[in-house]
Amino acid sequence: MRKKLFVEQPSLVNNNARPHVSQFTIREIHELGYETLKHPPYSPDLSPTDYHFFKHFDNFLRGKLFRNKEDAVNTFVEFINSRTPDFYCNGIGTLAKRWRKCIESNGDYFDEINSF
């Protein structure tokens, strides 16, 4: 099945498509003296929303019902305002640790979400 899918729909087999990169943006970043890093293939190990923000947001939403869009927006704002700056800093800090782990494992998948 995988071989046939690869022949007929190779884009479905290769899920590590490179994101669009604006050459103008790259040039401007380099002119400002910043280094750019290549975007790694998608990995749930490196997606902070998979294990930090949305995990907490999902828990916050449990049992809540919305009568309209305004209720949903207000609940989202309530969630954002209920988190301390440390919540966001810890999420980014954990991402940096996970990035290093990914580099150390040569990009191989690892599943140690609860170890950080």
Side-chain angles (χ1 to χ4, degrees), residues 63-82:
K64 291 183 173 40
L65 299 174
F66 308 111
R67 293 184 312 262
N68 53 43
K69 181 180 175 181
E70 184 179 350
D71 282 352
V73 169
N74 288 337
T75 300
F76 180 73
V77 170
E78 179 185 351
F79 172 76
I80 296 295
N81 292 335
S82 72

Side-chain angles (χ1 to χ4, degrees), residues 33-105:
Y34 291 103
E35 176 186 3
T36 57
L37 301 174
K38 289 185 178 186
H39 191 280
Y42 172 76
S43 169
D45 298 315
L46 298 176
S47 177
T49 56
D50 284 353
Y51 65 86
H52 186 70
F53 183 87
F54 283 122
K55 177 179 70 173
H56 291 275
F57 187 47
D58 184 50
N59 290 336
F60 185 82
L61 292 176
R62 283 215 176 104
K64 291 183 173 40
L65 299 174
F66 308 111
R67 293 184 312 262
N68 53 43
K69 181 180 175 181
E70 184 179 350
D71 282 352
V73 169
N74 288 337
T75 300
F76 180 73
V77 170
E78 179 185 351
F79 172 76
I80 296 295
N81 292 335
S82 72
R83 305 297 156 187
T84 66
D86 285 342
F87 170 78
Y88 300 101
C89 289
N90 290 339
I92 295 300
T94 301
L95 176 61
K97 290 176 188 175
R98 297 185 73 71
W99 186 280
R100 279 192 290 280
K101 179 75 174 176
C102 185
I103 291 169
E104 291 166 2
S105 67

